[in-house]
Amino acid sequence: MFLDILHYWVDVRFVLLSFAGAVAGLFVGSIPGLSVSMATALLVSITYTWAPTDALATIMGVYVVGVFSGAISAILINIPGAPSSVVTTIDGYPMAQKGEAYKALKYATIYSFIGSIFGLVALALLAKPLTSIALKFQPMDYFLLALFGLAAVGGLTSRSFSKGLVSALIGIFLSLIGLDPVVGSPRLTFGIQNLKAGIAIVPALVGLFGFAEVLTVVAEGEQSGTVEKFVKQTVKTKDVLKEFWRSMYYCVIGTFVGALPGAGGPVASFLAYGEAKRIVKNPSRPFGEGAYEGIVASETANNALIGGALMPMLTLAVPGDAVTAIMLSVFYVHGLQPGPNFLKTNPESFSTILASGFLACFFLLFLGLLLAPRLSKVITIPKKYMIPIVTLLCVIGSFATNKRLFDVALMFFFGIMGFILRRNGYSIAPITLGLVLGGMMDSNFRRAISLASTSSSPIITLFGRPITIVLLIFTIFTIVINMPAFKTWRLKKDK
Amino acid sequence: MHNLIKNKNIKQSIFIFSLGLALGIYSLVNHYTSRVKSPWIMSPYLFPLLIACFTILVSISLFYEAKQEINVDSTEKVSENNNQNIEINLKETAKDKVNYKNVFLVIILSIVYYIFMPIISFIPASILYIAILMIIIGAKKLLSIGLISIVSTLIIYFVFSTLLSVRLP
């Protein structure tokens, strides 16, 4: 595998595409209002005619650097460029106010690099053992894993668990529209001819992440962030690396959270930040007032999540976060089928992901140390000039894959729906996951039921295997601990 | 009771309950009236029915959550009468910040763009769309609006159509 990765690293075209993706990731991640999910969704439609290797190189570049660059605006203007950088603002901006923006950016860059490398090494080492477990999965296990992912994402991404579940159910409902895969009859199309082919995933994602964001910016107006005075300091790398061993713990948290289907960057960085507050006894400054230990925790964890999120996506076809949900559609567009056999049937695609991922980590380090401090002008570009151009990109992105004008209408529809839902406290991430997993859940559920119906003891056939029991316990546990009634009961008990 | 009906989350839970119920009825009706008779385990409407049941359960959970919130709010409001006024003021300020008029205009503009794009072709329609969008969002300098809308549309067209071979509408 190492030789395969090396082979990609000496391919100039591959390196250039990965670099182009990294530069794009640096800009979209750092500019508030543009997001990595939005850029990845747009890239799916642009790269669908490319070779899978080229497409994956570019997308991994955007993903790895885009997750990091959210920290730039978080530190410089107190507005996180990506949701996973929300925690970075807590200590990053106070550091910038104290004239230590350069130091904060250096910590963010180096620990994002360490986190990304850790996650990708974990992916390289754990993907095979995970595949051997995945091979034992039966239809009911797939159904329960997806259900667990949706329950987890519902509980973690919304303030209200019920609203998170509503989002997930909307996603599943939308995924069921079109021809039924088993019988072949149209379902939930309400007589609309264009819906017979189902809801195309790219326009839906471009609408949910792109046009919905445009409407949000239009509704909320310009988020004016003032860039703090920038003073270049001498920050020794040796001093920065003093947090290395502690960062390994945050790496484990990030990778683990990433591997949980559905949980995303904000969850990883919040958990790691909480742990940092617990384990760092003497921070450089109190947490929340400019402690670099806070930036270390947040940035390490949200970048370590990348490798973790790719694990269930590649081995089980169950994405770990919103971006990997979009990446899953990249695989489908290119005729690749992630799942238990993916590593065996497509070892070159796995090497491509690792090669471009590691390459992007080095670009992250290079761009982060060299360009990030100079981005203050770019991140404060007035939205009134940028947003219309983003809208046009959304139109092109939604049209390009199927060349259907109907998809542009779908994109607008999903954008408006996403905007309304977000304004009412419903998260978008569970919709994405539901949309991607709904079809798989439907077919596996029906397959499991029909297998059980032929058995003499259907309940044992459905739930009698150890993997199924573990997944069932996890799913029930996640649902129960998030239920409003349980929360009220616990509150009363604590009082 | 009045508080209950006025609450936004309660209204949403009732709406979601109705959607779940409608999906359930739709699935049952379509299963039993389908020309190709199949048992429930093979029916295309088995999973939508399951989703309908989940939706109804989640709507009940949302109703319960909203009711809990109302109870907590009313307890806090009785004990902290002064803070209540501040809270209401804060809510009003937050509401004022959201510009729904512009959102409505952007949606209307997007619908008009969608209708006219095939008629007047992509480039002129997009130039007009970007220019009007900029004006709605708050751009005032006509020269910048004209330049940005024309140059960005042409660059995007060139990059996507010529360099990336992406077919445009």
Side-chain angles (χ1 to χ4, degrees):
Chain A
M1 186 165 61
F2 182 70
L3 280 177
D4 290 336
I5 293 173
L6 212 63
H7 159 77
Y8 284 115
W9 284 355
V10 291
D11 182 347
V12 179
R13 182 189 165 83
F14 186 86
V15 174
L16 281 176
L17 282 169
S18 182
F19 183 70
V23 174
L26 185 75
F27 285 102
V28 292
S30 60
I31 299 171
L34 302 184
S35 66
V36 183
S37 322
M38 182 204 278
T40 321
L42 282 170
L43 269 176
V44 179
S45 52
I46 296 164
T47 58
Y48 80 103
T49 50
W50 299 9
T53 315
D54 294 350
L56 286 172
T58 318
I59 289 169
M60 280 302 287
V62 172
Y63 188 18
V64 173
V65 182
V67 170
F68 146 73
S69 58
I72 300 171
S73 55
I75 291 167
L76 295 179
I77 56 170
N78 202 24
I79 301 169
S84 55
S85 307
V86 172
V87 182
T88 310
T89 56
I90 301 173
D91 285 293
Y93 190 62
M95 277 182 84
Q97 282 177 313
K98 290 180 176 77
E100 294 179 343
Y102 183 78
K103 186 178 174 182
L105 281 175
K106 190 159 183 179
Y107 270 94
T109 306
I110 291 181
Y111 284 98
S112 292
F113 170 77
I114 291 171
S116 309
I117 292 279
F118 183 95
L120 290 167
V121 169
L123 172 70
L125 296 176
L126 296 176
K128 261 199 178 150
L130 261 177
T131 301
S132 54
I133 298 172
L135 279 168
K136 292 179 184 139
F137 270 49
Q138 296 276 314
M140 195 53 176
D141 305 331
Y142 276 108
F143 172 76
L144 285 173
L145 184 73
L147 192 64
F148 165 67
L150 290 171
V153 79
L156 293 169
T157 57
S158 295
R159 244 188 237 172
S160 146
F161 179 57
S162 311
K163 286 190 175 181
L165 287 186
V166 169
S167 299
L169 287 167
I170 292 172
I172 298 176
F173 168 77
L174 293 167
S175 75
L176 300 179
I177 295 172
L179 287 181
D180 170 57
V182 181
V183 185
S185 59
R187 182 174 59 172
L188 298 160
T189 55
F190 308 103
I192 302 169
Q193 204 64 20
N194 277 316
L195 283 179
K196 271 192 177 172
I199 300 277
I201 194 118
V202 175
L205 296 176
V206 173
L208 286 171
F209 289 99
F211 194 59
E213 192 66 50
V214 167
L215 293 178
T216 307
V217 174
V218 170
E220 289 172 358
E222 198 86 32
Q223 275 185 301
S224 52
T226 45
V227 182
E228 290 301 322
K229 205 180 164 193
F230 203 87
V231 188
K232 192 165 180 189
Q233 300 169 278
T234 324
V235 186
K236 286 183 184 163
T237 309
K238 200 175 82 180
D239 292 336
V240 176
L241 287 174
K242 277 181 183 160
E243 286 294 308
F244 179 80
W245 292 111
R246 225 169 348 225
S247 76
M248 289 295 109
Y249 178 46
Y250 310 137
C251 281
V252 174
I253 293 175
T255 311
F256 178 73
V257 172
L260 289 178
V267 181
S269 45
F270 266 111
L271 277 178
Y273 190 75
E275 281 302 287
K277 277 166 91 175
R278 196 179 61 83
I279 60 171
V280 182
K281 299 291 176 210
N282 298 306
S284 52
R285 282 197 195 102
F287 280 100
E289 293 175 26
Y292 61 75
E293 290 87 348
I295 299 177
V296 171
S298 157
E299 285 306 306
T300 314
N302 67 27
N303 272 74
L305 176 126
I306 295 169
L310 286 165
M311 281 180 207
M313 194 271 270
L314 293 174
T315 56
L316 293 156
V318 175
D321 68 350
V323 182
T324 42
I326 301 166
M327 276 180 82
L328 194 61
S329 61
V330 177
F331 282 84
Y332 292 147
V333 164
H334 286 100
L336 299 167
Q337 188 67 50
N341 293 316
F342 181 72
L343 261 60
K344 216 183 250 179
T345 52
N346 292 289
E348 67 288 346
S349 295
F350 185 58
S351 302
T352 309
I353 287 173
L354 288 175
S356 52
F358 283 121
L359 210 54
C361 291
F362 289 100
F363 290 140
L364 180 165
L365 197 63
F366 171 71
L367 295 169
L369 294 175
L370 207 79
L371 271 186
R374 291 169 179 80
L375 278 181
S376 51
K377 282 258 155 34
V378 179
I379 56 178
T380 47
I381 288 176
K383 300 283 174 296
K384 58 189 171 208
Y385 298 125
M386 201 178 63
I387 285 300
I389 299 168
V390 172
T391 316
L392 192 60
L393 289 175
C394 291
V395 171
I396 295 170
S398 52
F399 177 84
T401 319
N402 298 320
K403 294 161 196 84
R404 284 195 314 174
L405 211 53
F406 178 72
D407 285 348
V408 178
L410 267 186
M411 183 275 291
F412 283 136
F413 169 78
F414 275 96
I416 297 165
M417 187 181 88
F419 170 74
I420 295 169
L421 288 172
R422 271 162 71 166
R423 289 237 65 91
N424 286 293
Y426 295 86
S427 170
I428 300 292
I431 304 182
T432 319
L433 214 63
L435 200 60
V436 172
L437 296 178
M440 182 268 262
M441 284 177 86
D442 177 21
S443 54
N444 279 300
F445 179 74
R446 278 153 76 185
R447 217 176 294 158
I449 297 285
S450 37
L451 277 173
S453 66
T454 54
S455 158
S456 54
S457 48
I459 300 291
I460 300 288
T461 314
L462 278 177
F463 303 109
R465 302 166 59 254
I467 296 175
T468 322
I469 294 168
V470 170
L471 285 168
L472 191 65
I473 291 170
F474 274 175
T475 312
I476 293 171
F477 180 74
T478 312
I479 293 172
V480 169
I481 59 161
N482 281 300
M483 267 167 63
F486 181 80
K487 281 182 180 168
T488 319
W489 174 76
R490 264 195 68 180
L491 268 173
K492 275 182 189 166
K493 209 184 149 201
D494 287 348
K495 276 178 189 173
Chain B
M1 188 64 189
H2 185 65
N3 270 356
L4 215 68
I5 298 164
K6 269 179 80 177
N7 185 279
K8 206 168 79 174
N9 285 346
I10 295 280
K11 282 182 198 165
Q12 284 170 15
S13 70
I14 295 168
F15 177 68
I16 291 160
F17 180 87
S18 322
L19 284 183
L21 199 65
L23 180 62
I25 294 168
Y26 173 88
S27 305
L28 286 169
V29 170
N30 275 281
H31 172 76
Y32 287 113
T33 56
S34 173
R35 261 181 267 162
V36 190
K37 294 280 171 223
S38 56
W40 262 113
I41 49 164
M42 290 301 289
S43 170
Y45 295 98
L46 172 67
F47 202 64
L49 187 66
L50 192 74
I51 296 302
C53 296
F54 271 128
T55 308
I56 289 169
L57 287 175
V58 170
S59 71
I60 294 167
S61 167
L62 187 63
F63 184 87
Y64 179 81
E65 245 176 56
K67 225 179 126 213
Q68 291 286 104
E69 264 174 34
I70 292 169
N71 289 344
V72 172
D73 275 359
S74 57
T75 323
E76 278 175 4
K77 275 172 191 167
V78 169
S79 61
E80 294 172 28
N81 217 358
N82 291 336
N83 287 351
Q84 187 189 27
N85 295 331
I86 299 165
E87 199 180 301
I88 290 166
N89 285 338
L90 280 174
K91 274 181 188 167
E92 277 172 1
T93 328
K95 250 187 185 175
D96 287 343
K97 278 183 182 171
V98 180
N99 194 337
Y100 286 112
K101 192 187 119 198
N102 277 359
V103 173
F104 181 71
L105 286 175
V106 170
I107 292 171
I108 297 291
L109 178 69
S110 303
I111 295 169
V112 173
Y113 172 61
Y114 176 76
I115 296 167
F116 280 93
M117 193 178 13
I119 303 168
I120 62 170
S121 89
F122 177 76
I123 293 179
S126 300
I127 291 173
L128 282 172
Y129 181 60
I130 290 187
I132 301 171
L133 206 53
M134 273 189 216
I135 294 167
I136 293 174
I137 300 174
K140 286 191 176 79
K141 290 176 191 164
L142 281 176
L143 187 70
S144 313
I145 295 169
L147 266 177
I148 293 172
S149 54
I150 294 169
V151 173
S152 58
T153 306
L154 292 177
I155 290 176
I156 288 173
Y157 187 82
F158 174 74
V159 170
F160 282 89
S161 178
T162 315
L163 293 184
L164 297 169
S165 313
V166 173
R167 228 182 95 179
L168 298 179

